[in-house]
Short mmCIF file of all heavy atoms in Angstrom, two decimals:
data_model
loop_
_atom_site.label_atom_id
_atom_site.label_comp_id
_atom_site.label_asym_id
_atom_site.label_seq_id
_atom_site.Cartn_x
_atom_site.Cartn_y
_atom_site.Cartn_z
N ILE E 1 0.80 -1.24 -0.01
CA ILE E 1 0.06 0.11 0.00
C ILE E 1 0.88 1.24 0.06
O ILE E 1 0.50 2.24 -0.64
CB ILE E 1 -0.96 -0.01 1.17
CG1 ILE E 1 -1.96 -1.18 1.09
CG2 ILE E 1 -1.68 1.37 1.42
CD1 ILE E 1 -2.85 -1.40 2.24
N ASP E 2 2.00 1.16 0.70
CA ASP E 2 2.93 2.29 0.82
C ASP E 2 2.35 3.65 1.30
O ASP E 2 2.25 4.61 0.58
CB ASP E 2 3.64 2.49 -0.57
CG ASP E 2 4.82 3.39 -0.45
OD1 ASP E 2 5.52 3.37 0.57
OD2 ASP E 2 5.29 3.82 -1.49
N LEU E 3 1.82 3.65 2.46
CA LEU E 3 1.09 4.73 3.12
C LEU E 3 2.01 5.87 3.29
O LEU E 3 1.67 7.14 3.08
CB LEU E 3 0.55 4.35 4.53
CG LEU E 3 -0.58 3.29 4.39
CD1 LEU E 3 -1.09 2.93 5.77
CD2 LEU E 3 -1.86 3.95 3.61
N ALA E 4 3.20 5.75 3.82
CA ALA E 4 4.10 6.68 4.22
C ALA E 4 5.36 7.05 3.26
O ALA E 4 6.20 7.73 3.59
CB ALA E 4 4.65 6.62 5.67
N SER E 5 5.27 6.41 2.10
CA SER E 5 6.37 6.55 1.15
C SER E 5 7.71 6.11 1.65
O SER E 5 8.63 6.84 1.56
CB SER E 5 6.32 7.96 0.47
OG SER E 5 5.11 8.20 -0.09
N LEU E 6 7.82 5.14 2.33
CA LEU E 6 8.96 4.53 3.03
C LEU E 6 9.50 3.43 2.31
O LEU E 6 8.93 2.90 1.36
CB LEU E 6 8.69 4.19 4.50
CG LEU E 6 8.35 5.27 5.48
CD1 LEU E 6 8.11 4.62 6.94
CD2 LEU E 6 9.51 6.21 5.64
N ASP E 7 10.76 2.93 2.53
CA ASP E 7 11.38 1.82 1.97
C ASP E 7 10.57 0.54 2.42
O ASP E 7 10.10 0.54 3.54
CB ASP E 7 12.77 1.80 2.39
CG ASP E 7 13.62 0.90 1.52
OD1 ASP E 7 13.16 0.63 0.30
OD2 ASP E 7 14.65 0.47 1.99
N ALA E 8 10.47 -0.46 1.62
CA ALA E 8 9.70 -1.64 1.99
C ALA E 8 10.28 -2.37 3.14
O ALA E 8 9.59 -2.96 3.94
CB ALA E 8 9.66 -2.60 0.74
N ASN E 9 11.61 -2.26 3.34
CA ASN E 9 12.34 -2.84 4.36
C ASN E 9 11.97 -2.24 5.67
O ASN E 9 11.93 -3.02 6.69
CB ASN E 9 13.83 -2.77 4.20
CG ASN E 9 14.39 -3.67 2.96
OD1 ASN E 9 13.66 -4.49 2.57
ND2 ASN E 9 15.45 -3.10 2.48
N ARG E 10 11.69 -1.07 5.80
CA ARG E 10 11.21 -0.45 7.01
C ARG E 10 9.97 -0.88 7.51
O ARG E 10 9.69 -0.99 8.65
CB ARG E 10 11.17 1.13 6.87
CG ARG E 10 12.62 1.75 6.67
CD ARG E 10 12.49 3.24 6.61
NE ARG E 10 13.84 3.83 6.38
CZ ARG E 10 14.29 4.86 7.07
NH1 ARG E 10 13.65 5.31 8.08
NH2 ARG E 10 15.55 5.22 6.84
N TYR E 11 9.08 -1.08 6.44
CA TYR E 11 7.68 -1.70 6.79
C TYR E 11 7.88 -3.04 7.41
O TYR E 11 7.23 -3.43 8.42
CB TYR E 11 6.71 -1.72 5.64
CG TYR E 11 6.24 -0.29 5.13
CD1 TYR E 11 6.49 0.00 3.85
CD2 TYR E 11 5.48 0.52 6.08
CE1 TYR E 11 6.05 1.36 3.45
CE2 TYR E 11 4.95 1.66 5.59
CZ TYR E 11 5.25 2.04 4.36
OH TYR E 11 4.89 3.31 3.92
N VAL E 12 8.67 -3.86 6.80
CA VAL E 12 8.88 -5.21 7.25
C VAL E 12 9.45 -5.27 8.62
O VAL E 12 9.04 -6.10 9.44
CB VAL E 12 9.50 -6.10 6.13
CG1 VAL E 12 9.79 -7.46 6.66
CG2 VAL E 12 8.69 -6.18 4.92
N ALA E 13 10.53 -4.36 8.72
CA ALA E 13 11.25 -4.36 10.03
C ALA E 13 10.28 -3.94 11.13
O ALA E 13 10.42 -4.59 12.26
CB ALA E 13 12.42 -3.50 9.86
N SER E 14 9.51 -2.93 10.92
CA SER E 14 8.53 -2.47 11.93
C SER E 14 7.53 -3.57 12.29
O SER E 14 7.21 -3.77 13.48
CB SER E 14 7.85 -1.24 11.43
OG SER E 14 6.87 -0.79 12.40
N ALA E 15 7.14 -4.27 11.22
CA ALA E 15 6.21 -5.36 11.52
C ALA E 15 6.79 -6.50 12.30
O ALA E 15 6.12 -7.11 13.11
CB ALA E 15 5.56 -5.84 10.17
N MET E 16 8.00 -6.80 12.00
CA MET E 16 8.68 -7.93 12.78
C MET E 16 8.90 -7.54 14.23
O MET E 16 8.91 -8.36 15.12
CB MET E 16 9.97 -8.32 12.08
CG MET E 16 9.75 -9.00 10.78
SD MET E 16 8.43 -10.22 10.85
CE MET E 16 9.22 -11.43 11.84
N VAL E 17 9.16 -6.23 14.45
CA VAL E 17 9.43 -5.76 15.81
C VAL E 17 8.02 -5.93 16.52
O VAL E 17 8.02 -6.46 17.69
CB VAL E 17 9.79 -4.30 15.84
CG1 VAL E 17 9.74 -3.66 17.21
CG2 VAL E 17 11.33 -4.18 15.45
N ASN E 18 6.97 -5.56 15.89
CA ASN E 18 5.62 -5.66 16.47
C ASN E 18 5.28 -7.22 16.77
O ASN E 18 4.72 -7.64 17.65
CB ASN E 18 4.61 -5.04 15.74
CG ASN E 18 4.68 -3.50 15.85
OD1 ASN E 18 5.02 -3.02 16.90
ND2 ASN E 18 4.33 -2.90 14.73
N ALA E 19 5.71 -8.00 15.77
CA ALA E 19 5.53 -9.46 15.93
C ALA E 19 6.32 -10.04 17.12
O ALA E 19 5.73 -11.03 17.84
CB ALA E 19 5.81 -10.18 14.66
N PHE E 20 7.49 -9.53 17.28
CA PHE E 20 8.26 -10.03 18.36
C PHE E 20 7.58 -9.68 19.79
O PHE E 20 7.58 -10.53 20.67
CB PHE E 20 9.67 -9.45 18.22
CG PHE E 20 10.59 -9.97 19.39
CD1 PHE E 20 11.08 -11.22 19.45
CD2 PHE E 20 11.00 -9.09 20.43
CE1 PHE E 20 11.86 -11.79 20.54
CE2 PHE E 20 11.70 -9.49 21.44
CZ PHE E 20 12.25 -10.81 21.44
N ILE E 21 7.14 -8.53 19.74
CA ILE E 21 6.45 -8.06 21.01
C ILE E 21 5.19 -8.90 21.21
O ILE E 21 4.80 -9.28 22.34
CB ILE E 21 6.17 -6.57 20.94
CG1 ILE E 21 7.34 -5.80 20.96
CG2 ILE E 21 5.27 -6.13 22.19
CD1 ILE E 21 7.30 -4.27 20.72
N ALA E 22 4.52 -9.18 20.11
CA ALA E 22 3.33 -9.99 20.25
C ALA E 22 3.57 -11.43 20.64
O ALA E 22 2.77 -12.02 21.28
CB ALA E 22 2.50 -10.02 18.84
N MET E 23 4.79 -11.96 20.29
CA MET E 23 5.19 -13.27 20.65
C MET E 23 5.37 -13.30 22.29
O MET E 23 5.09 -14.25 22.81
CB MET E 23 6.55 -13.64 19.98
CG MET E 23 6.28 -14.16 18.50
SD MET E 23 7.89 -14.26 17.74
CE MET E 23 8.60 -15.65 18.55
N ILE E 24 6.00 -12.14 22.78
CA ILE E 24 6.20 -12.11 24.10
C ILE E 24 4.82 -11.88 24.83
O ILE E 24 4.64 -12.58 25.94
CB ILE E 24 7.15 -10.82 24.44
CG1 ILE E 24 8.47 -11.20 23.93
CG2 ILE E 24 7.22 -10.68 26.05
CD1 ILE E 24 9.47 -10.10 24.01
N ALA E 25 3.94 -11.23 24.23
CA ALA E 25 2.64 -10.94 24.98
C ALA E 25 1.65 -12.04 24.77
O ALA E 25 0.63 -12.11 25.45
CB ALA E 25 1.99 -9.67 24.44
N ALA E 26 1.93 -13.13 23.83
CA ALA E 26 1.03 -14.17 23.64
C ALA E 26 0.56 -14.91 24.86
O ALA E 26 -0.67 -15.23 25.04
CB ALA E 26 1.50 -15.09 22.53
N PRO E 27 1.46 -15.30 25.69
CA PRO E 27 0.99 -16.12 26.91
C PRO E 27 0.10 -15.18 27.83
O PRO E 27 -0.88 -15.75 28.35
CB PRO E 27 2.26 -16.41 27.65
CG PRO E 27 3.36 -16.41 26.69
CD PRO E 27 2.94 -15.34 25.65
N LEU E 28 0.38 -13.90 27.88
CA LEU E 28 -0.61 -13.07 28.59
C LEU E 28 -1.97 -12.98 28.05
O LEU E 28 -2.96 -12.99 28.78
CB LEU E 28 0.12 -11.64 28.85
CG LEU E 28 1.43 -11.67 29.47
CD1 LEU E 28 2.03 -10.32 29.44
CD2 LEU E 28 1.34 -12.16 30.86
N PHE E 29 -1.99 -12.85 26.64
CA PHE E 29 -3.26 -12.81 25.92
C PHE E 29 -3.97 -14.15 26.22
O PHE E 29 -5.23 -14.09 26.40
CB PHE E 29 -3.02 -12.62 24.44
CG PHE E 29 -2.71 -11.22 24.07
CD1 PHE E 29 -2.19 -11.04 22.84
CD2 PHE E 29 -2.96 -10.22 24.88
CE1 PHE E 29 -1.78 -9.67 22.32
CE2 PHE E 29 -2.55 -8.91 24.50
CZ PHE E 29 -2.01 -8.62 23.32
N VAL E 30 -3.29 -15.23 26.10
CA VAL E 30 -4.02 -16.61 26.36
C VAL E 30 -4.54 -16.61 27.81
O VAL E 30 -5.60 -17.05 28.06
CB VAL E 30 -3.02 -17.67 26.06
CG1 VAL E 30 -3.54 -19.06 26.39
CG2 VAL E 30 -2.76 -17.76 24.63
N ALA E 31 -3.82 -16.21 28.74
CA ALA E 31 -4.12 -16.29 30.22
C ALA E 31 -5.34 -15.36 30.33
O ALA E 31 -6.27 -15.71 31.12
CB ALA E 31 -3.00 -15.72 31.12
N TYR E 32 -5.32 -14.25 29.71
CA TYR E 32 -6.56 -13.33 29.81
C TYR E 32 -7.78 -13.96 29.24
O TYR E 32 -8.75 -13.91 29.68
CB TYR E 32 -6.16 -11.96 29.19
CG TYR E 32 -7.28 -11.02 29.14
CD1 TYR E 32 -7.76 -10.36 30.33
CD2 TYR E 32 -8.15 -10.67 28.00
CE1 TYR E 32 -8.82 -9.52 30.32
CE2 TYR E 32 -9.12 -9.87 27.90
CZ TYR E 32 -9.58 -9.30 29.19
OH TYR E 32 -10.58 -8.43 29.14
N CYS E 33 -7.65 -14.49 28.01
CA CYS E 33 -8.81 -15.09 27.29
C CYS E 33 -9.28 -16.39 27.90
O CYS E 33 -10.54 -16.53 27.78
CB CYS E 33 -8.48 -15.17 25.87
SG CYS E 33 -8.20 -13.69 24.96
N ARG E 34 -8.48 -17.20 28.53
CA ARG E 34 -8.85 -18.42 29.07
C ARG E 34 -9.24 -18.44 30.46
O ARG E 34 -9.54 -19.41 31.14
CB ARG E 34 -7.89 -19.47 28.70
CG ARG E 34 -7.68 -19.76 27.19
CD ARG E 34 -6.92 -20.86 26.84
NE ARG E 34 -7.34 -22.15 27.40
CZ ARG E 34 -8.01 -23.01 26.74
NH1 ARG E 34 -8.60 -22.61 25.48
NH2 ARG E 34 -8.21 -24.21 27.14
N HIS E 35 -9.14 -17.24 31.09
CA HIS E 35 -9.25 -17.16 32.57
C HIS E 35 -10.85 -17.22 32.85
O HIS E 35 -11.66 -16.56 32.31
CB HIS E 35 -8.81 -15.82 33.12
CG HIS E 35 -9.16 -15.55 34.49
ND1 HIS E 35 -8.63 -16.32 35.56
CD2 HIS E 35 -10.00 -14.70 35.06
CE1 HIS E 35 -9.07 -15.81 36.72
NE2 HIS E 35 -9.94 -14.85 36.45
N LYS E 36 -11.18 -18.06 33.77
CA LYS E 36 -12.56 -18.22 34.24
C LYS E 36 -12.53 -17.76 35.74
O LYS E 36 -11.89 -18.29 36.57
CB LYS E 36 -12.96 -19.72 34.23
CG LYS E 36 -12.77 -20.35 32.87
CD LYS E 36 -13.81 -19.82 31.86
CE LYS E 36 -13.63 -20.64 30.62
NZ LYS E 36 -13.54 -19.90 29.43
N PRO E 37 -13.35 -16.69 35.91
CA PRO E 37 -13.34 -16.08 37.29
C PRO E 37 -13.93 -17.15 38.28
O PRO E 37 -14.87 -17.88 37.88
CB PRO E 37 -14.25 -14.92 37.24
CG PRO E 37 -14.86 -15.05 35.87
CD PRO E 37 -14.18 -15.90 35.01
N SER E 38 -13.55 -17.05 39.56
CA SER E 38 -14.00 -18.09 40.55
C SER E 38 -15.61 -17.60 40.82
O SER E 38 -15.94 -16.44 40.74
CB SER E 38 -13.30 -17.99 41.75
OG SER E 38 -13.36 -16.69 42.39
N PRO E 39 -16.42 -18.59 41.33
CA PRO E 39 -17.83 -18.24 41.56
C PRO E 39 -17.99 -17.20 42.60
O PRO E 39 -18.94 -16.45 42.55
CB PRO E 39 -18.31 -19.65 42.09
CG PRO E 39 -17.39 -20.66 41.59
CD PRO E 39 -16.09 -20.02 41.56
N ARG E 40 -17.06 -17.05 43.56
CA ARG E 40 -17.33 -16.06 44.65
C ARG E 40 -17.12 -14.60 44.17
O ARG E 40 -17.63 -13.70 44.77
CB ARG E 40 -16.43 -16.28 45.85
CG ARG E 40 -14.98 -16.18 45.54
CD ARG E 40 -14.18 -16.36 46.79
NE ARG E 40 -12.75 -16.42 46.46
CZ ARG E 40 -11.77 -16.23 47.15
NH1 ARG E 40 -11.96 -16.09 48.44
NH2 ARG E 40 -10.50 -16.26 46.76
N TRP E 41 -16.53 -14.34 43.08
CA TRP E 41 -16.28 -13.07 42.46
C TRP E 41 -17.27 -12.71 41.38
O TRP E 41 -17.22 -11.66 40.85
CB TRP E 41 -14.96 -12.95 41.84
CG TRP E 41 -13.89 -13.09 42.86
CD1 TRP E 41 -13.03 -14.04 43.08
CD2 TRP E 41 -13.52 -12.09 43.87
NE1 TRP E 41 -12.16 -13.83 44.21
CE2 TRP E 41 -12.54 -12.69 44.65
CE3 TRP E 41 -14.00 -10.81 44.13
CZ2 TRP E 41 -11.96 -11.90 45.69
CZ3 TRP E 41 -13.54 -10.17 45.18
CH2 TRP E 41 -12.37 -10.61 45.97
N ARG E 42 -18.16 -13.64 41.06
CA ARG E 42 -19.21 -13.39 40.08
C ARG E 42 -20.36 -12.62 40.61
O ARG E 42 -20.66 -12.78 41.74
CB ARG E 42 -19.78 -14.60 39.31
CG ARG E 42 -18.77 -15.35 38.57
CD ARG E 42 -19.37 -16.53 37.86
NE ARG E 42 -18.30 -17.29 37.15
CZ ARG E 42 -18.45 -18.59 37.01
NH1 ARG E 42 -19.50 -19.30 37.26
NH2 ARG E 42 -17.42 -19.12 36.29
N ARG E 43 -20.89 -11.72 39.84
CA ARG E 43 -22.11 -11.02 40.35
C ARG E 43 -23.37 -11.93 40.18
O ARG E 43 -23.51 -12.66 39.26
CB ARG E 43 -22.26 -9.69 39.59
CG ARG E 43 -21.18 -8.70 39.73
CD ARG E 43 -21.50 -7.47 38.97
NE ARG E 43 -20.47 -6.58 39.16
CZ ARG E 43 -20.34 -5.46 38.52
NH1 ARG E 43 -21.39 -4.99 37.81
NH2 ARG E 43 -19.29 -4.62 38.73
#
């Protein structure tokens, strides 16, 4: 798409940095999505 008229390598490098951060955050996302609250905390 070339939104900012940058070199293609900069887009891919930025995306890979974000993917690396997403790899680190993946276990936290899974823990958040699969968490079942205990019955005493439910309304």
Side-chain angles (χ1 to χ4, degrees):
I1 294 172
D2 197 22
L3 291 175
S5 300
L6 294 176
D7 199 19
N9 293 333
R10 290 183 185 228
Y11 288 120
V12 175
S14 175
M16 291 312 293
V17 167
N18 289 325
F20 180 72
I21 296 170
M23 286 171 63
I24 294 171
L28 300 174
F29 285 160
V30 170
Y32 175 74
C33 291
R34 294 186 62 89
H35 174 70
K36 305 289 186 237
S38 65
R40 64 180 174 161
W41 294 106
R42 290 187 188 154
R43 293 182 182 180

